[in-house]
Amino acid sequence: MLRRNERNLDNIPVGSLGIIALDGCQEMGNLINDYLVKWRREDGSEYKDHIAFSGYEKQSYLVDADVPRFGSGEAKGIINESVRGMDIYLLVDVCNYSLTYSLTGNINHMSPDDHFQNLKRIIAAIGGKARRINVIMPFLYESRQHKRKGRESLDCAIALQELTRMGVDNILTFDAHDPRVENAIPLHGFETVRPTYQFVKGLLGSVKDLQIDSEHMMVISPDEGATERAIYLASVLNIDMGMFYKRRDYSRIVNGRNPIIAHEFLGASVEGMDVIILDDMISSGDSILDVAGQLKQRKAKRIYAAATFGLFTNGMDKFDQAFEDGIINGILTTNLIYQTPELLSRPYYINCDMSKYVALMIDTLNHDSSINSILNPADRIQNILERYKRGEQM
């Protein structure tokens, strides 16, 4: 389990802790704040009355900030309390399209561009008064545009450089599409975190009869890009892995990319196996469902798809049908980005809550301590596997 006593509480905090949850991220911000308030009230530092620990214990660490808009659709960032000398953590969900604003009388849904602009507005409102600025952006803005093919913009690299030029010290993201994008800001803190432990915990907590060994379970990478994730999980669980690669038609371009002709499988037999398909995101879901269908044709037993971000851009109908047809047995995604009520109501959906994990990282970083032990979940996964085998409650 995630234990707060794993980290070092002895270091002096960088500054009084402040959390700004931007519009669309308030629910996650409230959960994180509740953990931090509870922890610091229960077992705060023995030095908490010292001047260096000023503002250590609070009723709430959430900072009151807002981004109102004019009738023209333009906006401004406002912070309604002092943040001087604080260690600020900004939470932003660039994928929350459920928010709207008025644009000359028309209702406009907020795009990732709108959320990123709001983030910059709040940083600008801080005006350099904070001791340190940290951005927690679970879905890294424009991370799918991470490398250049021909004459293309490198939006993610530009965005990272823009944030650091504005005074951001550290950027924390989850399961970046390509972690090498951190090369754009080599002199600043950049961490990409994988929720492998939460996936394992969510699956074990929902399915009671799994046999986790190389004879009964496999991890599958749906494409070349997800191979490293699958190798890590397979290694920690001590089971085999296989992978698909996308065979594309390089003679034509559709919607800016070469269309996929087929998914080709590389690996041992999956017959009679429970299978975990692991990826960074489910967008339309076509690739995941195609891979699951092919695994079923190869006589796989139960299939669970786990992805850090569940975008479901084309709705849930295809997944409902796949569940009814017995192709997919469960889908696991995190609450790091917006989840629709329709998604949360699905019987096959397993929600992996990340708020405690993010709170642990914020608490540790505020104490200027290393988060290496938090980022590597191998020991925690082994611990939960042992508990599962003993039949304990997850």
Side-chain angles (χ1 to χ4, degrees):
M1 297 176 65
L2 282 170
R3 293 182 298 275
R4 184 173 181 253
N5 57 11
E6 289 175 356
R7 359 89 62 248
N8 180 5
L9 273 175
D10 293 335
N11 292 354
I12 294 174
V14 174
S16 178
L17 177 59
I19 299 170
I20 300 178
L22 274 76
D23 289 346
C25 220
Q26 282 102 339
E27 187 176 345
M28 173 66 85
N30 288 330
L31 291 171
I32 292 168
N33 180 61
D34 290 344
Y35 277 115
L36 291 167
V37 170
K38 176 174 176 284
W39 289 340
R40 292 194 171 186
R41 184 180 297 138
E42 285 176 353
D43 55 359
S45 170
E46 60 184 291
Y47 308 111
K48 63 185 178 184
D49 294 328
H50 191 278
I51 190 170
F53 282 75
S54 175
Y56 187 76
E57 242 185 72
K58 293 182 183 177
Q59 295 296 319
S60 174
Y61 297 97
L62 294 171
V63 175
D64 183 14
D66 194 19
V67 184
R69 287 184 180 267
F70 302 100
S72 59
E74 298 166 295
K76 62 180 177 181
I78 302 174
I79 297 176
N80 297 310
E81 57 188 275
S82 174
V83 293
R84 184 177 293 276
M86 293 180 75
D87 186 24
I88 294 290
Y89 293 81
L90 289 152
L91 301 171
V92 58
D93 174 12
V94 300
C95 294
N96 195 334
Y97 59 87
S98 69
L99 301 184
T100 59
Y101 61 90
S102 175
L103 181 61
T104 60
N106 300 302
I107 298 300
N108 213 31
H109 282 266
M110 287 186 68
S111 71
D113 293 341
D114 291 317
H115 285 291
F116 186 67
Q117 285 299 122
N118 280 1
L119 172 64
K120 292 194 294 182
R121 289 178 177 117
I122 292 298
I123 294 171
I126 291 171
K129 302 299 189 298
R131 179 74 49 82
R132 186 173 69 174
I133 300 175
N134 312 271
V135 169
I136 300 177
M137 187 187 293
F139 187 99
L140 188 59
Y141 174 70
E142 289 287 2
S143 58
R144 300 175 82 175
Q145 184 53 28
H146 61 286
K147 61 183 178 181
R148 185 172 273 155
K149 295 178 182 176
R151 288 181 290 276
E152 295 180 344
S153 58
L154 289 173
D155 296 53
C156 188
I158 291 170
L160 292 175
Q161 291 180 352
E162 198 169 2
L163 290 177
T164 55
R165 282 198 298 269
M166 292 185 74
V168 172
D169 295 281
N170 298 299
I171 297 171
L172 278 78
T173 188
F174 284 78
D175 223 345
H177 196 64
D178 187 341
R180 290 173 295 184
V181 76
E182 71 173 314
N183 291 335
I185 50 167
L187 301 180
H188 291 79
F190 181 93
E191 296 288 351
T192 177
V193 187
R194 286 185 179 155
T196 313
Y197 168 75
Q198 284 77 11
F199 286 150
V200 173
K201 183 180 179 183
L203 186 60
L204 298 185
S206 302
V207 187
K208 302 303 180 185
D209 60 342
L210 292 170
Q211 290 180 270
I212 304 167
D213 56 53
S214 56
E215 295 179 5
H216 298 93
M217 182 176 277
M218 279 184 72
V219 178
I220 301 293
S221 169
D223 55 36
E224 315 91 285
T227 306
E228 188 183 339
R229 296 181 192 91
I231 289 173
Y232 179 80
L233 180 59
S235 300
V236 173
L237 298 180
N238 199 25
I239 58 179
D240 292 332
M241 72 151 285
M243 69 165 286
F244 284 83
Y245 73 90
K246 295 173 180 175
R247 187 150 55 86
R248 296 180 180 270
D249 181 358
Y250 287 100
S251 65
R252 60 198 182 98
I253 295 177
V254 177
N255 293 330
R257 59 177 60 195
N258 303 104
I260 299 168
I261 301 170
H263 288 88
E264 305 289 354
F265 182 64
L266 301 172
S269 171
V270 297
E271 186 172 351
M273 299 274 219
D274 289 328
V275 170
I276 304 172
I277 305 171
L278 193 62
D279 208 352
D280 61 336
M281 71 179 75
I282 297 175
S283 186
S284 66
D286 291 340
S287 292
I288 288 279
L289 294 177
D290 185 20
V291 164
Q294 290 203 42
L295 290 170
K296 271 298 179 187
Q297 290 173 15
R298 290 174 166 82
K299 300 181 180 177
K301 186 180 173 186
R302 291 175 292 186
I303 297 175
Y304 301 94
T308 308
F309 307 109
L311 302 173
F312 302 103
T313 54
N314 291 352
M316 301 301 300
D317 293 343
K318 288 181 294 187
F319 294 94
D320 294 342
Q321 190 62 51
F323 177 65
E324 288 176 21
D325 295 342
I327 294 172
I328 288 277
N329 295 84
I331 292 176
L332 300 90
T333 69
T334 70
N335 63 339
L336 290 167
I337 63 169
Y338 172 65
Q339 299 163 299
T340 63
E342 293 76 23
L343 171 64
L344 294 170
S345 69
R346 293 304 191 263
Y348 52 84
Y349 179 65
I350 301 169
N351 177 30
C352 301
D353 180 22
M354 299 296 295
S355 56
K356 187 176 183 181
Y357 195 28
V358 177
L360 197 63
M361 286 192 287
I362 290 175
D363 202 16
T364 308
L365 288 170
N366 179 237
H367 275 272
D368 214 14
S369 298
S370 172
I371 59 173
N372 273 344
S373 62
I374 302 172
L375 297 182
N376 185 3
D379 291 339
R380 292 195 299 276
I381 291 173
Q382 291 303 321
N383 179 44
I384 203 170
L385 284 175
E386 290 301 318
R387 292 172 54 213
Y388 183 76
K389 289 172 183 175
R390 292 196 299 265
E392 294 182 21
Q393 187 72 28
M394 291 297 101

